[in-house]
Amino acid sequence: MAPVPGSGLAKGLAVTLRTMTKKTVTAQYPDVQPELPPRSRGVIGLFEENCTVCMLCARECPDWCIYIDSHKETVPAAAPGGRERSRNVLDRFAIDFSLCMYCGICIEVCPFDALFWSPEFEYAETDIHELTHERDKLREWMWTVPAPPALDAGAEEPKELAAARKTADKLAAEAEKLAAQAAEAAQAEKLATEATEATEATEATGAAGTTGAAGTTRATAPDPSEPAGPQDGDA
């Protein structure tokens, strides 16, 4: 069926009339803060503990607005005879928000979840040079990052949680096995101690009986120094 001529114009005018009849609401910013949608791209927060200075975010940034400095430190061997290791220590992590185009590539490519989107957006400056924020400021923004949305009821459990739960169950099973072995060893040691005590008590009782019998024999034996008495055959 062919559209009626002028129907599109009529629909547009209907929308305009419907909007004109509604009351206009003005958000009195900054007295009234806006209600931002979840996971808004306001600013980038840094979780410094997760950063391994892999430089992947700086290399993938299309604007080259991420600046990272680091140095290497030697970590002593964890066990005697082991080898020393070297690790990167973060010295500087800065983002120039006058160049950032908020593409989110740095957050997506970070393999250790060190960068997050924060809904904070009030960081305007009068000097463009002050829009380069160091890691201390990025860390402050980290605490304004909202929690991730809950999974759907039928969604698959994240692989990280499944792996962590599997490891925890394995460690718990090993701990239970070690506890059972320790209990068995304690029970065996207890039985061995009781058997040893019983053997010592038996030996002590037998020695006491032998000593008593020997004393009786010595008491009834005749004394050679005394004269012999009359025998049964003497008249």
Side-chain angles (χ1 to χ4, degrees):
M1 182 178 179
V4 179
S7 59
L9 177 61
K11 290 181 179 179
L13 292 176
V15 173
T16 302
L17 292 175
R18 194 163 55 246
T19 305
M20 290 175 59
T21 57
K22 293 182 179 180
K23 183 180 179 180
T24 303
V25 178
T26 302
Q28 301 297 328
Y29 178 83
D31 297 332
V32 179
Q33 292 291 325
E35 295 183 3
L36 300 176
R39 316 303 295 175
S40 298
R41 295 189 177 188
V43 75
I44 298 174
L46 170 67
F47 191 58
E48 186 176 338
E49 286 75 5
N50 287 357
C51 182
T52 60
V53 200
C54 65
M55 305 293 292
L56 192 58
C57 57
R59 291 197 299 265
E60 296 295 332
C61 178
D63 294 329
W64 292 87
C65 63
I66 300 177
Y67 311 107
I68 301 176
D69 293 331
S70 65
H71 70 277
K72 289 185 176 294
E73 287 186 356
T74 302
V75 180
R83 293 189 307 172
E84 295 182 346
R85 297 182 299 106
S86 62
R87 67 184 181 93
N88 291 324
V89 179
L90 183 65
D91 293 330
R92 185 195 183 200
F93 195 108
I95 299 178
D96 187 356
F97 286 99
S98 65
L99 297 177
C100 180
M101 64 179 185
Y102 304 92
C103 63
I105 293 178
C106 58
I107 298 176
E108 295 295 332
V109 300
C110 180
F112 300 103
D113 292 335
L115 298 174
F116 296 87
W117 280 118
S118 168
E120 293 291 327
F121 63 93
E122 298 177 320
Y123 54 94
E125 301 290 347
T126 57
D127 189 354
I128 192 173
H129 298 91
E130 296 180 0
L131 284 174
T132 301
H133 295 286
E134 301 292 334
R135 63 177 183 175
D136 294 337
K137 188 64 177 178
L138 300 180
R139 185 179 180 85
E140 291 180 9
W141 282 327
M142 180 63 207
W143 311 127
T144 62
V145 175
L151 296 176
D152 295 336
E156 183 181 355
E157 185 181 35
K159 296 181 179 179
E160 295 81 3
L161 292 180
R165 183 172 293 105
K166 183 178 180 181
T167 303
D169 294 341
K170 182 178 179 181
L171 293 176
E174 291 180 355
E176 292 179 358
K177 183 178 179 180
L178 292 176
Q181 292 177 354
E184 291 178 359
Q187 183 66 19
E189 183 177 0
K190 181 180 179 181
L191 294 176
T193 303
E194 292 178 353
T196 303
E197 292 177 353
T199 303
E200 292 177 353
T202 303
E203 292 177 353
T205 304
T210 304
T211 304
T216 304
T217 304
R218 286 196 299 270
T220 56
D223 190 355
S225 60
E226 296 180 357
Q231 299 298 322
D232 293 338
D234 296 343

